[in-house]
Every structure is written in structure tokens, then in C-alpha cells.
Amino acid sequence: MSDPDADRSASVLARLVGPFVDRTVAERLVISVAAILLSIALGFGIVLVSGRIAECSTAAWTLPFTGVGFCYDPVEVYVVLFNGALGYPFAVGEPGLFNAGWTPLNLSFGLTLSETTLLIFTGLSVAVAFRAGLFNIGTQGQLVVGGLATALSILALAPLLPAGPVGGVVLIVIGTAAGAVGGGLWGAIPGALKAYADANEVITTIMLNFVAANVAYVLVLEVFRAEGSSVVATEYVPEYAQLRPWLFPTSSDFALVALLIGVGFIGALYYFVEHTSLGYDLRTSGVQAAAAEYGGVNAKLTTVRAMTLSGALGGVGGAVWVLMSEGRWLASIPDLGFDGITVSILAGNNPIGVLPAAFLFGILKGGALEIGFRTDVPTELVAVLRGLIILFVAMPEFFRMIGRYAGLGGGGVGPAAEPDGTAGGEGGETDA
Amino acid sequence: MRNPLSSTRFMEGLFESDYVRSLVVGTVGVFALLGLLGLLFPDSVAGDLAGIVFSTSTATSTARLAAPIVLAGLGGIFAEKSGVINIGLEGLLIISAFVSVYAASVVGIGNAVLGVPALAVGFLAGIAASTLLSAVFAVVCIEFKADQIIAGLAVWLIALGLAPFMSTVFFGGVNTPNLGANVGWLYSAILVILATAGSWWLLNRTAFGKHLRAAGENPKALDTVGVSVSKVRYAGVLLSGFLSGIGGSALALSIGQFVGSGETMVQGKGFIAIVAYLFGNYNPLGTLGAGALFAGLDAIQIRLQQLGYAVPDTLVQTIPYVMVIVVLTLVGRTQIPEAAGEHYETEE
């Protein structure tokens, strides 16, 4: 920051410091929970209104006392969403609260955990960059590149290694490393452009998402497409080199070992960010670049490192997606990177918080399938909820105001954080 | 402002005084060369290419494809000049595209409400929906001081879910049925030209334009003069919703259908719009040029494929994205309004 305008530097500083110093962990938690509840309430309204508009022969739900009928039952939607995502542990309409026949090792819960696992990696990817004061919207692209690197490297090496568990483990390790390198290199591009050419990483990462998707698509279409495949996809990697379901039903595509690796990454990253000197550099240059530079931190290099690490995590996410979910690289890639942004924001960009946030989103995505099976409500409802949650988490000031009006003051929502007139508290990124 | 001063000055000079001119000269030059080659060697690839580039069908589809990009891009200029970065343009295009088709289908093609034909009703409804969503975005950013990038993402994601959701509620699928009628390309072209000229005039020749630029560059000064920074920023964001609404409606009604599968029929045009105004250096004319260039590339690519040339269309679509990365690398962030992304509180 060689900005001559001291006034402006001060305000930028306050803006960057705000989210990490003023907002306590407790406050973040309250805001996240409040945002989720508010989104669910709004979703309730949306289901009601659209249930009034949609046409059906018999009303699924009738408003008490008024007799006005609705085509969709909003209560049922949420029961199916949350209960269904876990495989119906709670008995509905039957005597008894718990479903006696329920086991945690069911298909629906497996699908939910599968989504959770993938979101852990993309959530961590976004969170690491955020801690360094960088907004990585490019996790999606890094995942695409990483996943392709994984699939191609395993397909290339598989014939050279013995088929079987030993060869499988070696291939999985090499493939995941290739994914990390691929995603890391792809993430290093916006990092280097930001550090040395001052190109806004928000724009470059969005652009690189499109570039990654398009180039990978053409590469697979023209060069690496599996013979006779009707979709744009590579060959399947050998089954012994995939992360296979264990305990859970095979069709859930959920490997417990992948979730454990994800949890291990969370711990490792938490330790790295909070307890290592490199992690300290990363945090300080995120919070106050000028001070970090003064303290001997190479801010430019830290920017590149942070984006590379972030990209590598996105790449590992791509590797897990290939090895666990699909078994091959497939052109129709789910929006895991964008969901990772939501997960990270909901987690307050804290690696530990990524676990519950990823699990919540796993439930939402797993539950969306159940909504599709069991109700007439369009599954896109869950996508709307995702957007609403982001919107509400982005406006903590709204909840602070509600807190103040409700007379909670600093009690419920933490200290009212407004250090000075120009700072305004929020806006962790986007220094112009 | 982090570039070494000398290089910053050089780039600034290049882009401020000569940027639009070199863009125009370059474009005209390429066209002239292509026309010449096409005339000299009519049977070669160049001949085919010239035939495509100078055909009316390419021109008309360029006009259609450019409308959402240029209009949303112009909207983006107003928002960002006022100090609010609106990366939710994509969402605004999606919501107006859906609502315009829905409203037109409710009225019914061939019918009219109070003498206004269905397609025009659809047009107005799409603009209203987009403006409404941008108003929500404005309140969240200005009143509740949300992070603009995150809130913009939320606008995109909400629209990306809501439009297919509503389409399924109303029509039983994420894609609406075809209206059976559409507006011609000429309307798109006229809208684009009018909006570009109007935006240029508003930005450069009115007091509002001055206030808008001040709100983005130096809100404190504007406040001192007694103009409400919030009000100016609201106006900027609402204008971005209004213009994107025109763009989204023009896109959907020129086809007569809303397609909600995948990334919807908008397919990243809102992000290309951001690219277009950055590429056009926040100048409406430059935005028009960049938008027309990207749309033209897309149109040529479609025609090339019809002629049997195996150009992977996804590669051609990548060109605008790569171009913007190159441009951003060359000019850095020096062009972005100083206070964009910052919250402003009145000092009383």
C-alpha cells in the first residue's frame, strides 16, 4: 500500500480489519444462525405463495381457521428437507419421535455426507484466500483443472503400476497430488496477476472459471474423450484407484475415508493459519498489508502463496470429486466452488467453522433430492435458500440493528462494531 | 494505485485519450483487411469468413446477442461510478428474462392490456422485476453496509434459483414454453443505441453524472457540497437494474422463450457485461464497442459452425474472458473509481 492519501489508507485499513477484529466468533455464530433461520422463514413464504399460485386438484395444506388451500405444504417441505437428508431418523405421523428402523448408514445420509465432504475442500479453499484478504471466486475453475489433472494422471500411470490395493493407494496419492498441483497452478495465476500487475482478483478469478471450464471441455472433447462415450467425459479410472464407499451403500458415492481426509485438512489448515509463521504472515497481510510489509513480510509473495494454496485445496476438491463421486472427469460439474464461497462465508472464513457449514449445505443439497422425490415443490427452492443465506450473512449490520431494536444491545449480538465514522465495519475484501 | 507511478501514468494516458480511438481504428482495420482478402480470394477461408462477417444474418444476430451485454454493461457503469460494485448483473438479466416471458404469456400473444400489446407488457414487467431486485441489492449494500461483492454474488445465486423455481411452479418445467412470437432484432439494435447515447449524455453532460462520479471518487466532497451520497448511489444501482432489465427482456423476448436449465439462457452474459465495461474503460461508447465485439465473435462462431468449419465454439467463447485478463493485467486497477466498494457514512 504505497497510497499517499493517508486518510484513505486509514479507512481501507479499518475496513479490512473490521470483519476479523470487531466481530467476535460468537457474533459470527449468532449472525450465521440468524441468517439461516431468516432464509428458512423467507423460503416458507415463497413456498406458500407459489403454492397458492400453482394449480393442483387437492390442496396439500390448508391455512388454519381461514380454509384457504395451498398446493404445497411448507411444513412438509422442511420436514422432508432436513429429515430426508438424514434418511428419516424422525418418525413423522407415527407414534414415537424416533424412527425405530433408522440406521445412520442409509443412502440419503450417504449422499448428504458425500456433498459435505466435497464442500469441506471448496469451503477451505475460499476460506484460506479470505484470511489473506483475497476473495477467491475461482475455486470452481481450480476444481475443474485439478479434477482433470487427477483423472489424466491416474489414467496415464495406471498401466504402469500393478492393479490392486497397493497400486490403488499409490495412484490415489499421486492423483490427488496432481489435482493439488493443477489447481494450485491455476490459482497462482490470479495471485501473481494481483501481486505484480495489480489486477483485481475478483474479476480475474471469475474469468478464469469460464476459461477453465471451456478449455477443459474442449481438451476432453477433442483429445481425452472416452471411446464411445455419449457425454464429454474421460475414461473411468480403475475401480481400485477410486475412493470406494465403505459401510455406506455403494450408490451413495460416499467414501468415509474422504470425509476423514477432509476433517484432517481442516485440522491441518487451522494449525497452519493460527500457529505457524507462514500462517501468521498470511493473516497479517490479510488484515493490514502495510503493517505486514513494515514487519518484513513480503506481501506480494504472500498473495501468490495464499492463492496457490487456495487453488491447491480447490484442486484436491476436484480430485475427491473425480475419485469419489464420478470415477472420471465429466463435463457437467456441479457448482461446488460457488457453494464453497457460501460455506466459507457462513463459517466466518474459519477452517473449524467450515465443518458445520459444509454439513449444513450437505443437508440442503441431500434434502433437495428428497424434495424432488417426495413433493411437488421444485428442488430449485434449495438454490434460492442458498442465495438468501449468502445475502443475509453479507449484512451483519441488519442483525445488529435488529439486536439494538430488540433491546439486546451488546448482549446477544456482540459489541456494536463501529470503530469510527468512515469505517462502517464490513467489507472484508474489495479494496479498490 | 500500486503500480509504479511512471507506468501508471503511461497506461492512464494510453487508455484515457487513445483507448477508444485505437479500439475503433483497430476494429475498422481488421474489417477492411478481411473485406480486401475476401474480395481478392473469394474461394478461400478468408472469402468464407468475409462472407459471414459482412452478411446481414451475422449483423442481426450480433445485434441480438449484444443487447444484454451492452445494456447490463451500461448499468454496471452507473452502479460502479457511484461507488457500488454490482457483480449481480447476471442475476438481474436472469430475473428480467424470466419475468418478461412470464408476463407476456399471462397476457397472451395477440392480446393486450389497456391497449398495450403482450410483448410490451412483458418488456415492462421484466424491467420492473430487475429494478426491484436491484433495489433490494441497493438497500442491502447502502443501508446495511453489506460487502458488495458477496451481496452481488447473492443476487446472482438467488436469481439463478428463483427463475427456474418460478418457471417450474408456473409451467411445470425449468424452461418456459415458446411464446410463439418474438420481437425483431431491430428493436434490440435501437434499444442498444438509444441506451448508449443516453448513458453517455447522462454521465458526461448532466449534473447527475457529475454527482455520480463524485460519489464514486470522492464521496466526502459530494457530502460537503450538500448532496446525499446515499441517494446518488441508490440512483446508480437502480439504473443498473433498469438497464439490465431492458437487456434481459430484450434477450428473452427476441427468442420468445426463457430457458432455465444449467446456467439459464443468460449463460454468463452478465459477467461478460462486466468485462465489456472494464474493457470499454467505463465509457459507454467503449462498452458498446466491446459488447458488439464479443457478440460479433459469438455470431461469427455460430455461422462458421453452420458452414461446417470445426471451430470448437467453447474455445471462441473463451476469447472475451482471456482478453479481459490481459487488459486487467496491463492497466491494473487504476481505472476503478477510488471509493468503489467502500461504505460511506454521512458526517453530521
Side-chain angles (χ1 to χ4, degrees):
Chain A
M1 290 241 181
S2 55
D3 201 318
D5 187 344
D7 215 17
R8 188 173 133 67
S9 298
S11 103
V12 167
L13 196 72
R15 245 170 353 106
L16 291 174
V17 174
F20 301 106
V21 177
D22 298 328
R23 259 193 281 167
T24 61
V25 172
E27 194 200 20
R28 262 187 241 148
L29 203 65
V30 170
I31 287 170
S32 294
V33 172
I36 293 163
L37 293 179
L38 199 56
S39 310
I40 287 175
L42 250 172
F44 196 94
I46 292 172
V47 172
L48 263 191
V49 171
S50 49
R52 192 70 201 132
I53 298 165
E55 285 172 17
C56 53
S57 48
T58 51
W61 189 71
T62 318
L63 191 69
F65 309 118
T66 59
V68 179
F70 295 87
C71 280
Y72 306 142
D73 181 346
V75 180
E76 189 202 356
V77 167
Y78 284 119
V79 168
V80 169
L81 179 62
F82 290 102
N83 203 6
L86 306 175
Y88 296 94
F90 301 107
V92 180
E94 295 160 30
L97 180 61
F98 295 101
N99 189 344
W102 181 77
T103 140
L105 306 176
N106 62 65
L107 175 66
S108 302
F109 192 42
L111 290 169
T112 297
L113 287 178
S114 168
E115 292 287 350
T116 305
T117 306
L118 294 167
L119 291 174
I120 284 176
F121 292 104
T122 55
L124 284 178
S125 163
V126 179
V128 162
F130 222 125
R131 289 311 283 269
L134 300 160
F135 202 162
N136 181 10
I137 303 185
T139 296
Q140 183 73 20
Q142 291 140 16
L143 181 135
V144 168
V145 172
L148 188 57
T150 302
L152 295 182
S153 61
I154 292 186
L155 287 173
L157 290 174
L160 309 175
L161 288 163
V166 178
V169 169
V170 174
L171 282 176
I172 287 173
V173 170
I174 294 177
T176 309
V181 170
L185 288 176
W186 200 251
I189 299 172
L193 292 181
K194 161 100 176 178
Y196 299 105
D198 209 18
N200 187 330
E201 84 280 10
V202 173
I203 309 284
T204 51
T205 51
I206 291 177
M207 295 306 127
L208 284 168
N209 281 340
F210 289 106
V211 176
N214 290 358
V215 170
Y217 180 89
V218 172
L219 268 181
V220 173
L221 179 73
E222 303 283 335
V223 188
F224 300 111
R225 187 167 180 171
E227 264 177 58
S229 167
S230 59
V231 290
V232 177
T234 63
E235 300 274 357
Y236 282 97
V237 304
E239 194 149 304
Y240 58 85
Q242 291 181 21
L243 297 166
R244 302 300 301 166
W246 177 61
L247 296 178
F248 282 85
T250 325
S251 49
S252 68
D253 281 328
F254 168 62
L256 212 50
V257 61
L259 178 63
L260 293 178
I261 294 171
V263 173
F265 265 77
I266 289 178
L269 230 75
Y270 177 77
Y271 180 80
F272 167 76
V273 171
E274 301 293 337
H275 298 288
T276 63
S277 65
L278 210 59
Y280 176 80
D281 290 357
L282 194 115
R283 274 185 297 139
T284 45
S285 51
V287 177
Q288 22 185 300
E293 193 91 54
Y294 190 72
V297 176
N298 186 339
K300 287 186 195 301
L301 199 59
T302 309
T303 297
V304 181
R305 278 183 181 147
M307 282 303 277
T308 308
L309 179 60
S310 175
L313 284 163
V316 173
V320 174
W321 174 70
V322 165
L323 297 178
M324 181 180 81
S325 299
E326 298 293 340
R328 58 178 173 168
W329 191 93
L330 185 67
S332 56
I333 294 165
D335 277 353
L336 292 163
F338 296 119
D339 287 325
I341 299 172
T342 325
V343 166
S344 175
I345 290 170
L346 202 57
N349 307 310
N350 182 329
I352 303 283
V354 164
L355 186 62
F359 185 54
L360 176 84
F361 267 78
I363 288 179
L364 285 181
K365 299 190 92 180
L369 297 170
E370 290 290 320
I371 288 183
F373 288 141
R374 290 175 191 257
T375 71
D376 295 330
V377 180
T379 54
E380 282 80 12
L381 175 70
V382 170
V384 179
L385 289 180
R386 169 180 73 173
L388 288 174
I389 291 175
I390 300 195
L391 189 71
F392 292 135
V393 174
M395 43 193 257
E397 196 60 25
F398 173 74
F399 295 104
R400 290 200 191 103
M401 275 166 79
I402 289 182
R404 281 198 291 272
Y405 281 126
L408 292 170
V413 202
E418 252 149 344
D420 64 63
T422 50
E426 292 333 303
E429 196 279 329
T430 62
D431 52 324
Chain B
M1 298 291 274
R2 281 179 219 169
N3 283 341
L5 201 58
S6 55
S7 82
T8 308
R9 280 238 176 98
F10 168 69
M11 287 300 175
E12 256 171 13
L14 179 76
F15 272 73
E16 259 164 25
S17 58
D18 294 339
Y19 183 74
V20 177
R21 204 185 314 151
S22 41
L23 199 71
V24 170
V25 169
T27 313
V28 170
V30 168
F31 273 87
L33 187 69
L34 195 60
L36 191 68
L37 281 174
L39 279 176
L40 291 176
F41 312 100
D43 294 327
S44 66
V45 182
D48 275 353
L49 204 60
I52 290 170
V53 171
F54 297 109
S55 71
T56 35
S57 75
T58 305
T60 55
S61 58
T62 301
R64 267 195 314 106
L65 293 167
I69 298 174
V70 175
L71 286 158
L74 293 172
I77 295 179
F78 281 105
E80 194 154 327
K81 280 272 181 193
S82 80
V84 180
I85 302 169
N86 187 354
I87 67 163
L89 296 175
E90 174 89 1
L92 299 173
L93 286 176
I94 292 174
I95 214 74
S96 55
F98 171 75
V99 172
S100 61
V101 172
Y102 171 68
S105 80
V106 166
V107 176
I109 296 300
N111 299 334
V113 179
L114 300 171
V116 183
L119 284 175
V121 171
F123 226 97
L124 296 175
I127 295 171
S130 167
T131 312
L132 202 68
L133 187 58
S134 73
V136 173
F137 174 69
V139 170
V140 167
C141 286
I142 299 168
E143 221 67 47
F144 299 125
K145 304 190 193 78
D147 184 305
Q148 293 166 3
I149 300 290
I150 299 178
L153 264 174
V155 166
W156 171 42
L157 293 173
I158 288 172
L160 196 59
L162 200 56
F165 176 85
M166 291 193 296
S167 178
T168 314
V169 169
F170 294 131
F171 302 105
V174 290
N175 301 344
T176 70
N178 203 301
L179 289 173
N182 54 33
V183 294
W185 66 272
L186 200 59
Y187 287 94
S188 297
I190 291 170
L191 283 172
V192 164
I193 289 165
L194 282 181
T196 307
S199 302
W200 188 87
W201 176 77
L202 206 55
L203 277 170
N204 296 310
R205 289 286 179 272
T206 64
F208 172 69
K210 241 180 234 169
H211 293 164
L212 202 75
R213 271 175 285 143
E217 294 289 349
N218 193 346
K220 211 169 191 172
L222 190 65
D223 200 14
T224 318
V225 189
V227 179
S228 162
V229 175
S230 296
K231 273 189 189 152
V232 174
R233 288 190 171 177
Y234 269 113
V237 176
L238 286 175
L239 266 174
S240 76
F242 177 76
L243 288 165
S244 304
I246 301 177
S249 300
L251 171 70
L253 293 178
S254 72
I255 293 165
Q257 189 189 13
F258 173 80
V259 181
S261 53
E263 296 191 320
T264 76
M265 68 193 301
V266 176
Q267 275 188 323
K269 290 194 174 62
F271 292 113
I272 302 260
I274 298 175
V275 176
Y277 75 71
L278 289 176
F279 205 65
N281 197 26
Y282 297 88
N283 182 331
L285 299 174
T287 307
L288 173 67
L293 182 68
F294 296 154
L297 280 173
D298 216 11
I300 291 170
Q301 168 265 122
I302 294 169
R303 291 277 292 139
L304 271 178
Q305 234 149 21
Q306 288 165 350
L307 280 187
Y309 284 104
V311 184
D313 52 341
T314 32
L315 267 193
V316 179
Q317 285 161 10
T318 313
I319 294 172
Y321 305 118
V322 175
M323 268 157 98
V324 82
I325 293 171
V326 172
V327 169
L328 272 181
T329 308
L330 290 179
V331 296
R333 290 195 289 179
T334 49
Q335 307 294 312
I336 290 183
E338 278 283 291
E342 276 181 51
H343 304 295
Y344 183 77
E345 275 183 26
T346 338
E347 289 157 37
E348 283 167 312

